[in-house]
Coordinates of all heavy atoms in Angstrom, one line a residue:
R247 N 64.7 123.4 83.2 CA 64.9 124.1 84.5 C 63.8 123.7 85.5 O 62.7 123.3 85.2 CB 64.8 125.6 84.3 CG 65.9 126.2 83.3 CD 67.3 126.2 84.0 NE 68.2 126.8 83.1 CZ 69.5 127.1 83.4 NH1 69.9 126.7 84.6 NH2 70.3 127.7 82.6
T248 N 64.2 123.8 86.8 CA 63.3 123.6 87.9 C 63.5 124.7 88.9 O 64.7 125.0 89.2 CB 63.5 122.2 88.6 OG1 63.5 121.2 87.6 CG2 62.5 121.9 89.6
A249 N 62.4 125.2 89.5 CA 62.6 126.3 90.5 C 61.4 126.2 91.5 O 60.4 125.4 91.3 CB 62.5 127.6 89.8
V250 N 61.6 126.9 92.6 CA 60.5 127.0 93.7 C 60.5 128.4 94.2 O 61.5 129.1 94.3 CB 60.8 126.0 94.8 CG1 62.2 126.3 95.5 CG2 59.7 126.0 95.9
G251 N 59.2 128.9 94.4 CA 59.0 130.2 94.9 C 57.7 130.3 95.7 O 57.1 129.3 96.0
H252 N 57.3 131.6 95.9 CA 56.0 131.8 96.6 C 55.4 133.1 96.1 O 56.0 134.0 95.5 CB 56.2 131.9 98.1 CG 56.8 133.2 98.6 ND1 56.1 134.3 98.8 CD2 58.1 133.5 98.8 CE1 56.9 135.3 99.2 NE2 58.2 134.8 99.2
D253 N 54.1 133.2 96.2 CA 53.4 134.4 95.8 C 53.0 135.3 97.0 O 53.4 135.0 98.1 CB 52.1 134.0 95.0 CG 51.1 133.3 95.8 OD1 51.2 133.2 97.0 OD2 50.1 132.8 95.2
Q254 N 52.2 136.3 96.7 CA 51.9 137.3 97.7 C 51.1 136.7 98.9 O 51.2 137.1 100.1 CB 51.0 138.4 97.1 CG 50.7 139.6 98.0 CD 51.9 140.4 98.4 OE1 52.8 140.5 97.6 NE2 51.9 140.9 99.6
E255 N 50.3 135.7 98.6 CA 49.5 135.0 99.7 C 50.2 134.0 100.5 O 49.7 133.4 101.4 CB 48.2 134.4 99.0 CG 47.3 135.4 98.4 CD 46.1 134.7 97.8 OE1 45.7 133.6 98.2 OE2 45.5 135.2 96.8
G256 N 51.4 133.7 100.1 CA 52.2 132.7 100.8 C 52.0 131.3 100.3 O 52.4 130.3 100.9
K257 N 51.4 131.2 99.1 CA 51.3 129.9 98.4 C 52.6 129.5 97.8 O 53.3 130.4 97.2 CB 50.2 129.9 97.4 CG 48.8 130.2 97.9 CD 47.7 130.3 96.8 CE 46.4 130.7 97.4 NZ 45.4 130.8 96.3
L258 N 52.9 128.3 97.9 CA 54.2 127.8 97.3 C 54.0 127.6 95.8 O 53.0 127.0 95.4 CB 54.7 126.6 98.0 CG 56.2 126.2 97.8 CD1 57.0 127.3 98.5 CD2 56.5 124.8 98.3
I259 N 55.0 128.0 95.0 CA 54.9 127.8 93.5 C 56.0 126.9 93.1 O 57.2 127.2 93.3 CB 55.0 129.1 92.8 CG1 54.0 130.2 93.3 CG2 54.9 128.9 91.3 CD1 52.6 129.8 93.1
L260 N 55.7 125.7 92.5 CA 56.6 124.8 91.9 C 56.7 125.0 90.4 O 55.6 125.0 89.8 CB 56.3 123.3 92.3 CG 56.2 122.9 93.7 CD1 55.9 121.5 93.9 CD2 57.4 123.3 94.5
F261 N 57.9 125.2 89.9 CA 58.0 125.5 88.5 C 58.9 124.5 87.8 O 60.0 124.1 88.3 CB 58.6 126.9 88.3 CG 59.0 127.3 86.9 CD1 58.0 127.8 86.0 CD2 60.3 127.1 86.5 CE1 58.4 128.1 84.7 CE2 60.7 127.5 85.2 CZ 59.7 128.0 84.3
H262 N 58.5 124.0 86.6 CA 59.3 123.1 85.8 C 59.1 123.3 84.3 O 57.9 123.6 83.9 CB 58.9 121.6 86.2 CG 59.2 120.7 85.1 ND1 58.3 120.4 84.0 CD2 60.3 120.0 84.8 CE1 58.9 119.5 83.2 NE2 60.1 119.3 83.6
I263 N 60.1 123.3 83.6 CA 60.0 123.3 82.1 C 60.9 122.2 81.5 O 61.9 121.9 82.0 CB 60.4 124.7 81.5 CG1 61.9 125.0 81.8 CG2 59.5 125.8 81.9 CD1 62.4 126.2 81.0
D264 N 60.4 121.7 80.4 CA 61.2 120.7 79.6 C 62.2 121.5 78.8 O 62.1 122.6 78.5 CB 60.3 119.9 78.7 CG 59.3 119.1 79.5 OD1 59.7 118.4 80.5 OD2 58.1 119.1 79.1
G265 N 63.3 120.7 78.4 CA 64.3 121.3 77.5 C 65.5 120.4 77.4 O 65.5 119.3 77.8
Q266 N 66.5 120.9 76.7 CA 67.8 120.2 76.6 C 68.9 121.3 76.5 O 68.7 122.3 75.8 CB 67.8 119.3 75.3 CG 69.0 118.5 75.2 CD 68.9 117.5 74.1 OE1 67.9 117.4 73.4 NE2 70.0 116.7 73.9
T267 N 69.9 121.1 77.2 CA 71.0 122.1 77.4 C 71.5 122.5 76.0 O 71.9 121.7 75.1 CB 72.1 121.5 78.2 OG1 71.6 121.1 79.5 CG2 73.2 122.6 78.4
D268 N 71.5 123.8 75.8 CA 72.0 124.5 74.6 C 71.0 124.3 73.4 O 71.4 124.8 72.3 CB 73.4 124.0 74.2 CG 74.4 125.2 74.2 OD1 73.9 126.3 74.4 OD2 75.6 124.9 74.2
R269 N 69.8 123.7 73.6 CA 68.9 123.5 72.4 C 67.5 124.0 72.7 O 67.0 124.8 72.0 CB 68.9 122.0 72.1 CG 70.2 121.5 71.5 CD 70.0 120.1 71.0 NE 71.2 119.5 70.5 CZ 71.3 118.3 70.0 NH1 70.3 117.5 69.9 NH2 72.5 117.8 69.6
R270 N 67.0 123.6 73.9 CA 65.6 123.9 74.2 C 65.5 124.3 75.6 O 66.4 124.0 76.5 CB 64.7 122.7 74.0 CG 64.6 122.2 72.5 CD 63.7 121.0 72.4 NE 64.3 119.8 72.9 CZ 64.0 119.1 74.0 NH1 63.0 119.5 74.7 NH2 64.6 118.0 74.3
G271 N 64.5 125.1 76.0 CA 64.3 125.5 77.4 C 64.5 127.0 77.6 O 64.2 127.8 76.7
M272 N 64.9 127.3 78.8 CA 65.1 128.7 79.2 C 66.4 128.9 79.9 O 66.9 127.9 80.5 CB 64.0 129.2 80.1 CG 62.6 129.4 79.5 SD 61.4 130.0 80.8 CE 60.0 130.3 79.8
N273 N 67.0 130.1 79.8 CA 68.1 130.4 80.7 C 67.5 131.0 82.0 O 66.3 131.2 82.1 CB 69.1 131.4 80.1 CG 68.4 132.7 79.7 OD1 67.6 133.2 80.4 ND2 68.8 133.2 78.5
L274 N 68.3 131.2 83.0 CA 67.8 131.7 84.3 C 67.2 133.1 84.3 O 66.3 133.4 85.1 CB 68.9 131.6 85.4 CG 69.4 130.2 85.7 CD1 70.4 130.2 86.9 CD2 68.2 129.2 86.1
W275 N 67.7 133.9 83.4 CA 67.0 135.3 83.3 C 65.6 135.1 82.8 O 64.7 135.8 83.4 CB 67.8 136.1 82.3 CG 69.3 136.3 82.7 CD1 70.3 135.6 82.2 CD2 69.8 137.2 83.6 NE1 71.5 136.0 82.8 CE2 71.2 137.0 83.6 CE3 69.3 138.3 84.4 CZ2 72.1 137.8 84.4 CZ3 70.1 139.0 85.2 CH2 71.5 138.8 85.2
E276 N 65.4 134.2 81.8 CA 64.0 134.0 81.3 C 63.1 133.4 82.3 O 62.0 133.7 82.5 CB 64.1 133.2 80.0 CG 64.8 133.9 78.9 CD 65.3 133.0 77.8 OE1 65.3 131.8 78.0 OE2 65.6 133.5 76.7
V277 N 63.7 132.5 83.1 CA 62.9 131.8 84.2 C 62.5 132.9 85.2 O 61.3 132.9 85.6 CB 63.7 130.7 84.9 CG1 63.0 130.2 86.1 CG2 64.0 129.6 83.9
A278 N 63.4 133.7 85.6 CA 63.1 134.8 86.6 C 62.0 135.7 86.1 O 61.1 136.0 86.8 CB 64.4 135.6 87.0
D279 N 62.1 136.1 84.8 CA 61.1 137.0 84.3 C 59.7 136.3 84.2 O 58.7 136.9 84.5 CB 61.5 137.5 82.9 CG 62.7 138.5 82.9 OD1 62.8 139.2 84.0 OD2 63.4 138.6 81.9
F280 N 59.7 135.0 83.8 CA 58.5 134.3 83.7 C 57.8 134.2 85.1 O 56.6 134.4 85.2 CB 58.8 132.9 83.1 CG 57.5 132.1 82.9 CD1 56.9 132.2 81.7 CD2 57.0 131.3 83.9 CE1 55.7 131.4 81.4 CE2 55.8 130.5 83.7 CZ 55.2 130.6 82.4
L281 N 58.6 133.9 86.1 CA 58.0 133.7 87.4 C 57.5 135.1 88.0 O 56.5 135.1 88.6 CB 59.1 133.1 88.4 CG 59.5 131.7 88.1 CD1 60.6 131.2 89.1 CD2 58.2 130.7 88.3
K282 N 58.3 136.1 87.7 CA 57.9 137.4 88.1 C 56.5 137.8 87.5 O 55.6 138.4 88.1 CB 58.9 138.5 87.8 CG 58.6 139.9 88.2 CD 59.8 140.8 87.9 CE 59.4 142.3 88.3 NZ 60.5 143.2 88.0
G283 N 56.4 137.4 86.2 CA 55.1 137.7 85.6 C 53.9 136.9 86.1 O 52.8 137.2 85.9
Q284 N 54.2 135.8 86.9 CA 53.2 135.0 87.5 C 52.9 135.4 88.9 O 52.2 134.7 89.6 CB 53.6 133.5 87.5 CG 53.8 132.9 86.0 CD 52.6 133.0 85.2 OE1 51.5 132.7 85.7 NE2 52.7 133.5 84.0
G285 N 53.5 136.5 89.3 CA 53.3 137.1 90.7 C 54.1 136.4 91.8 O 53.8 136.5 93.0
V286 N 55.2 135.8 91.4 CA 56.1 135.2 92.4 C 56.9 136.3 93.0 O 57.5 137.2 92.4 CB 57.0 134.1 91.7 CG1 58.0 133.6 92.7 CG2 56.1 133.0 91.2
I287 N 57.1 136.2 94.4 CA 57.8 137.2 95.2 C 59.3 136.8 95.3 O 60.2 137.6 95.0 CB 57.2 137.4 96.5 CG1 55.7 137.7 96.4 CG2 57.9 138.5 97.3 CD1 55.4 139.0 95.6
N288 N 59.5 135.6 95.9 CA 60.9 135.1 96.1 C 61.0 133.7 95.4 O 60.0 132.9 95.5 CB 61.2 135.0 97.6 CG 61.4 136.3 98.2 OD1 62.4 137.0 98.0 ND2 60.4 136.7 99.0
A289 N 62.1 133.4 94.8 CA 62.3 132.1 94.1 C 63.8 131.8 94.0 O 64.6 132.7 93.9 CB 61.6 132.1 92.8
I290 N 64.1 130.5 94.1 CA 65.5 130.0 93.8 C 65.4 129.0 92.8 O 64.4 128.3 92.5 CB 66.1 129.5 95.1 CG1 65.5 128.1 95.5 CG2 66.1 130.5 96.3 CD1 66.3 127.4 96.6
N291 N 66.6 128.8 92.1 CA 66.8 127.8 91.1 C 67.2 126.5 91.7 O 68.1 126.4 92.6 CB 67.8 128.3 90.1 CG 68.1 127.2 89.0 OD1 67.3 126.8 88.3 ND2 69.4 126.7 89.1
L292 N 66.6 125.3 91.2 CA 67.0 124.0 91.7 C 67.7 123.3 90.6 O 68.0 123.9 89.5 CB 65.8 123.2 92.1 CG 65.0 123.8 93.3 CD1 63.7 123.1 93.6 CD2 65.9 123.9 94.6
D293 N 68.1 122.0 90.8 CA 68.8 121.3 89.8 C 68.0 121.2 88.5 O 66.8 121.1 88.5 CB 69.0 119.8 90.3 CG 70.1 119.1 89.5 OD1 70.7 119.7 88.6 OD2 70.2 117.9 89.7

Side-chain angles (χ1 to χ4, degrees):
R247 300 287 186 173
T248 306
V250 58
H252 73 86
D253 64 9
Q254 185 70 32
E255 298 180 23
K257 298 176 182 178
L258 198 67
I259 308 297
L260 303 183
F261 172 82
H262 157 268
I263 60 167
D264 295 315
Q266 185 172 0
T267 304
D268 240 351
R269 294 186 182 181
R270 296 178 285 113
M272 288 183 174
N273 60 40
L274 293 186
W275 302 96
E276 293 164 344
V277 171
D279 288 335
F280 184 90
L281 291 175
K282 183 177 179 181
Q284 299 300 315
V286 175
I287 307 298
N288 290 286
I290 69 166
N291 173 64
L292 299 174
D293 194 8

